[in-house]
PDB file of all heavy atoms in Angstrom:
ATOM      1  N   GLU A 194      -9.451 -32.199  25.542  1.00 67.00           N
ATOM      2  CA  GLU A 194     -10.258 -31.669  24.472  1.00 67.00           C
ATOM      3  C   GLU A 194     -11.113 -30.523  24.964  1.00 67.00           C
ATOM      4  O   GLU A 194     -11.454 -30.436  26.188  1.00 67.00           O
ATOM      5  CB  GLU A 194     -11.179 -32.700  23.858  1.00 67.00           C
ATOM      6  CG  GLU A 194     -10.456 -33.837  23.189  1.00 67.00           C
ATOM      7  CD  GLU A 194     -11.411 -34.832  22.571  1.00 67.00           C
ATOM      8  OE1 GLU A 194     -12.607 -34.540  22.480  1.00 67.00           O
ATOM      9  OE2 GLU A 194     -10.913 -35.938  22.305  1.00 67.00           O
ATOM     10  N   GLU A 195     -11.405 -29.604  24.097  1.00 65.00           N
ATOM     11  CA  GLU A 195     -12.257 -28.461  24.445  1.00 65.00           C
ATOM     12  C   GLU A 195     -13.658 -29.016  24.676  1.00 65.00           C
ATOM     13  O   GLU A 195     -14.076 -29.913  23.937  1.00 65.00           O
ATOM     14  CB  GLU A 195     -12.215 -27.433  23.386  1.00 65.00           C
ATOM     15  CG  GLU A 195     -10.897 -26.690  23.268  1.00 65.00           C
ATOM     16  CD  GLU A 195     -10.961 -25.589  22.229  1.00 65.00           C
ATOM     17  OE1 GLU A 195     -12.061 -25.218  21.824  1.00 65.00           O
ATOM     18  OE2 GLU A 195      -9.908 -25.118  21.901  1.00 65.00           O
ATOM     19  N   PRO A 196     -14.404 -28.409  25.627  1.00 65.00           N
ATOM     20  CA  PRO A 196     -15.772 -28.878  25.742  1.00 65.00           C
ATOM     21  C   PRO A 196     -16.589 -28.625  24.537  1.00 65.00           C
ATOM     22  O   PRO A 196     -16.511 -27.506  23.969  1.00 65.00           O
ATOM     23  CB  PRO A 196     -16.281 -28.129  27.010  1.00 65.00           C
ATOM     24  CG  PRO A 196     -15.370 -26.922  27.129  1.00 65.00           C
ATOM     25  CD  PRO A 196     -14.068 -27.382  26.540  1.00 65.00           C
ATOM     26  N   SER A 197     -17.408 -29.482  24.148  1.00 69.00           N
ATOM     27  CA  SER A 197     -18.277 -29.306  22.998  1.00 69.00           C
ATOM     28  C   SER A 197     -19.457 -28.407  23.347  1.00 69.00           C
ATOM     29  O   SER A 197     -19.824 -28.217  24.519  1.00 69.00           O
ATOM     30  CB  SER A 197     -18.774 -30.674  22.446  1.00 69.00           C
ATOM     31  OG  SER A 197     -19.587 -31.282  23.439  1.00 69.00           O
ATOM     32  N   PHE A 198     -20.071 -27.921  22.297  1.00 66.00           N
ATOM     33  CA  PHE A 198     -21.252 -27.041  22.481  1.00 66.00           C
ATOM     34  C   PHE A 198     -22.400 -27.837  23.026  1.00 66.00           C
ATOM     35  O   PHE A 198     -22.655 -28.965  22.530  1.00 66.00           O
ATOM     36  CB  PHE A 198     -21.635 -26.406  21.114  1.00 66.00           C
ATOM     37  CG  PHE A 198     -22.836 -25.594  21.207  1.00 66.00           C
ATOM     38  CD1 PHE A 198     -22.832 -24.318  21.735  1.00 66.00           C
ATOM     39  CD2 PHE A 198     -24.026 -26.067  20.755  1.00 66.00           C
ATOM     40  CE1 PHE A 198     -24.004 -23.591  21.788  1.00 66.00           C
ATOM     41  CE2 PHE A 198     -25.213 -25.307  20.783  1.00 66.00           C
ATOM     42  CZ  PHE A 198     -25.196 -24.102  21.342  1.00 66.00           C
ATOM     43  N   GLN A 199     -22.988 -27.310  24.052  1.00 66.00           N
ATOM     44  CA  GLN A 199     -24.202 -27.907  24.583  1.00 66.00           C
ATOM     45  C   GLN A 199     -25.386 -27.018  24.422  1.00 66.00           C
ATOM     46  O   GLN A 199     -25.293 -25.869  24.774  1.00 66.00           O
ATOM     47  CB  GLN A 199     -24.024 -28.337  25.989  1.00 66.00           C
ATOM     48  CG  GLN A 199     -22.888 -29.369  26.241  1.00 66.00           C
ATOM     49  CD  GLN A 199     -22.888 -29.868  27.598  1.00 66.00           C
ATOM     50  OE1 GLN A 199     -23.747 -29.567  28.411  1.00 66.00           O
ATOM     51  NE2 GLN A 199     -21.906 -30.752  27.875  1.00 66.00           N
ATOM     52  N   ALA A 200     -26.465 -27.547  23.866  1.00 68.00           N
ATOM     53  CA  ALA A 200     -27.685 -26.710  23.634  1.00 68.00           C
ATOM     54  C   ALA A 200     -28.275 -26.341  24.951  1.00 68.00           C
ATOM     55  O   ALA A 200     -28.295 -27.116  25.886  1.00 68.00           O
ATOM     56  CB  ALA A 200     -28.700 -27.505  22.731  1.00 68.00           C
ATOM     57  N   PHE A 201     -28.846 -25.163  25.017  1.00 62.00           N
ATOM     58  CA  PHE A 201     -29.517 -24.660  26.223  1.00 62.00           C
ATOM     59  C   PHE A 201     -31.001 -24.834  25.941  1.00 62.00           C
ATOM     60  O   PHE A 201     -31.495 -24.332  24.892  1.00 62.00           O
ATOM     61  CB  PHE A 201     -29.181 -23.188  26.356  1.00 62.00           C
ATOM     62  CG  PHE A 201     -29.535 -22.715  27.763  1.00 62.00           C
ATOM     63  CD1 PHE A 201     -28.832 -23.092  28.826  1.00 62.00           C
ATOM     64  CD2 PHE A 201     -30.502 -21.741  27.917  1.00 62.00           C
ATOM     65  CE1 PHE A 201     -29.104 -22.625  30.113  1.00 62.00           C
ATOM     66  CE2 PHE A 201     -30.836 -21.266  29.178  1.00 62.00           C
ATOM     67  CZ  PHE A 201     -30.082 -21.711  30.251  1.00 62.00           C
TER      68      PHE A 201
END
Side-chain angles (χ1 to χ4, degrees):
E194 294 183 15
E195 292 183 14
S197 62
F198 175 77
Q199 296 192 3
F201 196 71

